[in-house]
Amino acid sequence: MNDHAIEYPAEPWKIKSVEPIRQTSRPYREQAIRQAGWNPCLLRSEDVYIDLFTDSGTNAMSDRQWAALMTGDEAYAGARSFYVLERAVRTYYGYEHVIPVHQGRGGENIVSRCLIRPGSHIPGNMFFPSTRAHQELNGATFHDVVIDEAHDPSSDHPFKGDVDLAKLAAVIGEYGDAIPYVSLAATVNMAGGQPISMANLAAVRELTGRHGIPIMFDAARAVENAWFVKQREAGWGDRSIAEILLAMCSFTDGAVMSSKKDSFANIGGWIGLRDGELAERARSLALLYEGLHTYGGMAGRDMEAVARGIEESVEESSIRARVGQVEYLGHRLLAAGVPVVRPIGGHCVCIDALAVLPLLPREEFPGQTLAAALYVEGGIRGVERGGLSAGRDPVTGENRYPPMELVRLAIPRRVYTRAHLDMVADCVIRVHEERDRIKRGLRFVHEPSHLRFFQARFVPADGDSIFGG
Ligand code: PLI
């Protein structure tokens, strides 16, 4: 079988500075993953050959961004660099009020504290762990109102990030006034980087507008979302990425941004708001949790790098090469029969661990087990996106098992070459072909209470190794 177009768009950049990486032996990696409690997150990065743990903060900055660092104004108050950032966010995202934060979750904390009260209900197009954790810490209950196709790895729906309007209407019908905002992400990370359509955004706006409910936007990968709108949605093919991005944001009342994704920055983020009164409250909380409202936990130089990164992110050649590289890896795996989430998303390729390891019980975390096996096989680090990442229900204390149990291979921007991606593909294909060697899953020996996937430690559920024995 090979009906998958395996194209590789040439990069619109050349390499000016390099960082050595090293391959290790399989016995070395077996020892390393054991010492890391079978959690790839706890590996030392120098023991990883190709690091696809995240595309967050791991991007290569351009020479222009590095140059911009030198122009940072490190004044405590009123730094020029803040106004540079503010102008970039206003221009490309359209929010009047801009509050810098150290990274996305800093913004999530502040927005959640401003808007959520105990007993609040928040509908959203699928959860993201840090976003939902802040919502729940402030007393809200999250309701997943994404379309069913988002939970089906084999569905080829072009906009799996779309909201199911009937589900949203039902949550509004039941909880009405207790809904402080609807939480919309573009793209939807936990669905595998799947976009939301402009038509759906407009429809959600129309529905929530009738009830006076604001929309808060997770804009971390909104540029990637804009690329898919341009490719897939009628009427948008001739519009620039910048125009599409602005149009998407226009349906929302505010946004939280992790600049570590689309904007190629190693750190940083912002909150964008339209409402002046809400912005004033957010600024005063930022002062407590992030820093003064003109730096919010970022150095002046970082604000410069983010501002420059925003401009670069909407260049068409840049976003074409970025998503094209991800699609290349995805289509190589599809062509080899590896079960991955379809269509291939904007920032990652997600392996369906339940399809690869159908005999492992969910309590033994098949996704985490497969992630460990990929590391042992090829020194490649991915991250589990399944039961481990979903955590426990705050009311019942039971493990939550989402419909999908994935291993996400997130591709940092402008970092790896085609040869690296081929090595990743070859490694994943080998592990898939030899999947019967993975005999047992994992059980906790340390389970943190929040965002447990980052720091949890495991041992094989039986014996000494996931490979049996
Ligand atoms: O890592 P932060 O705190 O800058 O951003 C949190 C965050 C919010 N929303 C979304 C959609 C994210 O993907 C996100 C962080 N993502 C990480 C770290 C990731 O590996 O996907």
Side-chain angles (χ1 to χ4, degrees):
M1 73 174 256
N2 193 343
D3 56 350
H4 300 286
I6 305 189
E7 290 168 18
Y8 191 94
E11 291 85 356
W13 38 259
K14 57 184 176 174
I15 297 167
K16 183 175 282 186
S17 176
V18 297
E19 177 183 350
I21 49 177
R22 77 184 168 123
Q23 186 57 291
T24 52
S25 69
R26 190 182 170 106
Y28 180 94
R29 292 193 293 272
E30 277 181 3
Q31 182 64 15
I33 195 74
R34 203 166 263 127
Q35 277 173 1
W38 296 88
N39 186 352
C41 186
L42 297 178
L43 290 164
R44 287 170 176 252
S45 82
E46 57 196 5
D47 289 338
V48 175
Y49 183 49
I50 298 176
D51 201 347
L52 307 184
F53 187 76
T54 182
D55 63 324
S56 176
T58 53
N59 306 296
M61 292 209 296
S62 68
D63 52 358
R64 273 79 168 169
Q65 284 180 289
W66 283 104
L69 291 183
M70 287 306 294
T71 66
D73 176 358
E74 305 302 344
Y76 191 94
R80 190 193 61 251
S81 303
F82 165 71
Y83 297 101
V84 172
L85 173 66
E86 183 185 59
R87 189 171 60 239
V89 175
R90 283 180 176 167
T91 305
Y92 291 99
Y93 292 84
Y95 301 107
E96 171 67 14
H97 302 281
V98 181
I99 302 156
V101 291
H102 78 282
Q103 62 182 90
R105 68 201 70 181
E108 290 168 348
N109 173 38
I110 288 167
V111 166
S112 301
R113 282 173 183 270
C114 280
L115 295 175
I116 295 173
R117 300 286 165 267
S120 291
H121 291 266
I122 306 207
N125 57 348
M126 222 158 158
F127 79 100
F128 183 74
S130 66
T131 319
R132 186 174 65 183
H134 281 294
Q135 292 163 354
E136 289 177 348
L137 278 171
N138 284 281
T141 304
F142 179 79
H143 299 267
D144 183 4
V145 294
V146 79
I147 57 172
D148 289 342
E149 286 88 340
H151 296 286
D152 174 2
S154 64
S155 160
D156 275 318
H157 193 294
F159 288 104
K160 284 169 117 175
D162 277 359
V163 168
D164 182 324
L165 296 169
K167 287 186 197 171
L168 177 58
V171 176
I172 294 175
E174 187 158 359
Y175 300 107
D177 291 347
I179 300 176
Y181 60 91
V182 172
S183 181
L184 286 189
T187 58
V188 178
N189 194 350
M190 300 301 275
Q194 303 293 330
I196 179 169
S197 65
M198 196 72 85
N200 189 253
L201 269 168
V204 174
R205 167 87 282 176
E206 201 275 319
L207 174 57
T208 54
R210 271 191 270 138
H211 297 272
I213 301 172
I215 296 176
M216 292 304 297
F217 198 38
D218 182 332
R221 299 182 183 85
V223 176
E224 289 166 5
N225 199 105
W227 173 253
F228 287 122
V229 168
K230 187 176 169 79
Q231 302 307 305
R232 298 178 185 169
E233 194 165 353
W236 292 95
D238 293 334
R239 309 289 286 275
S240 72
I241 295 298
E243 285 174 314
I244 298 172
L245 179 63
L246 211 47
M248 283 166 33
C249 294
S250 74
F251 292 117
T252 70
D253 299 279
V256 171
M257 178 68 180
S258 167
S259 304
K260 303 170 73 174
K261 282 84 169 174
D262 271 349
S263 308
F264 306 106
N266 299 127
I267 194 73
W270 45 263
I271 301 169
L273 294 169
R274 302 193 197 284
D275 180 80
E277 190 271 326
L278 175 60
E280 216 37 65
R281 278 194 284 144
R283 276 188 202 102
S284 63
L285 278 185
L287 190 58
L288 288 175
Y289 293 104
E290 298 290 311
L292 190 68
H293 60 276
T294 55
Y295 74 89
M298 297 175 78
R301 56 178 170 271
D302 294 323
M303 292 192 278
E304 297 280 351
V306 169
R308 178 68 219 176
I310 291 173
E311 287 171 20
E312 292 176 8
S313 70
V314 297
E315 286 168 12
E316 189 144 337
S317 58
S318 162
I319 186 67
R320 172 184 289 115
R322 190 292 183 274
V323 177
Q325 202 187 36
V326 178
E327 288 177 332
Y328 172 78
L329 174 62
H331 288 291
R332 271 216 56 195
L333 296 182
L334 279 171
V338 179
V340 300
V341 171
R342 294 158 45 174
I344 304 305
H347 70 292
C348 61
V349 177
C350 293
I351 308 166
D352 180 354
L354 295 181
V356 177
L357 301 173
L359 299 180
L360 278 199
R362 295 295 293 267
E363 310 85 73
E364 292 188 14
F365 302 111
Q368 184 74 359
T369 307
L370 185 58
L374 285 178
Y375 173 71
V376 172
E377 177 65 29
I380 288 150
R381 172 156 71 170
V383 67
E384 191 261 13
R385 285 295 182 230
L388 175 63
S389 296
R392 290 182 184 273
D393 185 299
V395 178
T396 65
E398 293 296 319
N399 275 318
R400 299 189 260 217
Y401 294 116
M404 293 195 295
E405 174 88 11
L406 307 173
V407 176
R408 185 188 74 172
L409 305 175
I411 317 292
R413 296 161 190 80
R414 311 191 287 208
V415 170
Y416 290 114
T417 65
R418 179 178 185 162
H420 288 127
L421 295 190
D422 282 331
M423 287 205 62
V424 172
D426 293 343
C427 168
V428 174
I429 291 166
R430 265 195 322 276
V431 170
H432 180 243
E433 282 170 355
E434 296 172 10
R435 57 195 178 277
D436 291 347
R437 293 178 55 201
I438 302 172
K439 307 256 187 256
R440 290 310 303 257
L442 298 165
R443 67 178 168 80
F444 282 119
V445 286
H446 168 61
E447 183 187 351
S449 56
H450 300 301
L451 302 180
R452 62 187 185 174
F453 55 95
F454 282 127
Q455 290 158 335
R457 299 185 71 85
F458 301 87
V459 290
D462 186 31
D464 184 39
S465 169
I466 58 173
F467 301 106

